[in-house]
Structure formats: C-alpha cells, structure tokens
Amino acid sequence: MAYENNPNYIDETPGIKTYCTCGESSKKPYCDGSHGKLGTEKLPKEFVVTEAKKMAICDCGQSSKLPFCDGTHTKL
C-alpha cells in the first residue's frame, strides 16, 4: 500500500494516536509497524488528541505539518 494523493479524513477520538508516515500501513492512517518490517526508514508520528474532532491526516508523505495534511498533495 503506497502513498495516496489525498488525505485520510477521520472522526478522531481523544487519546494518544500513532499515525503512519511511510505510506505502507494496512491500517492507515494509523501505524501498524510496516515501516520496520519493510525498512522504510520513516518513523510514525505520535500525537495526543485532546477532544473528539474531524481531522485530515496526510497520506502523500510530503506535508510540512506531518501527521496533518497541509494541502501539499494538490501541488504534486
């Protein structure tokens, strides 16, 4: 599963989240450890969600605000 040219929109719940940045997780936008198994050299981004809200998580791998989408995919 490679990078996609659009964000993952999710209704997130509070808690500690670990988001995929390598593009290979089968549980996108969350990390499933694929970066280690495949040797991608990209590490997941951990983030604390303090309240339930809709979020746009980057799936192109180019955002300057990882793990969040900043619209970079529209310029690729």
Side-chain angles (χ1 to χ4, degrees):
M1 186 173 288
Y3 289 121
E4 299 291 329
N5 200 25
N6 53 24
N8 284 297
Y9 293 102
I10 54 173
D11 292 316
E12 194 58 271
T13 57
I16 298 171
K17 310 298 175 175
T18 306
Y19 297 113
C20 173
T21 63
C22 75
E24 299 296 336
S25 175
S26 63
K27 297 182 179 187
K28 285 184 190 181
Y30 307 105
C31 175
D32 69 357
S34 291
H35 62 280
K37 294 178 225 164
L38 299 173
T40 67
E41 297 184 16
K42 292 199 171 202
L43 298 175
K45 294 285 184 178
E46 189 172 273
F47 184 76
V48 176
V49 178
T50 58
E51 62 186 54
K53 58 185 166 184
K54 187 168 202 83
M55 298 172 70
I57 305 300
C58 175
D59 196 17
C60 75
Q62 303 299 313
S63 175
S64 64
K65 297 182 179 188
L66 288 173
F68 307 106
C69 177
D70 68 358
T72 299
H73 65 277
T74 63
K75 300 170 185 128
L76 299 176

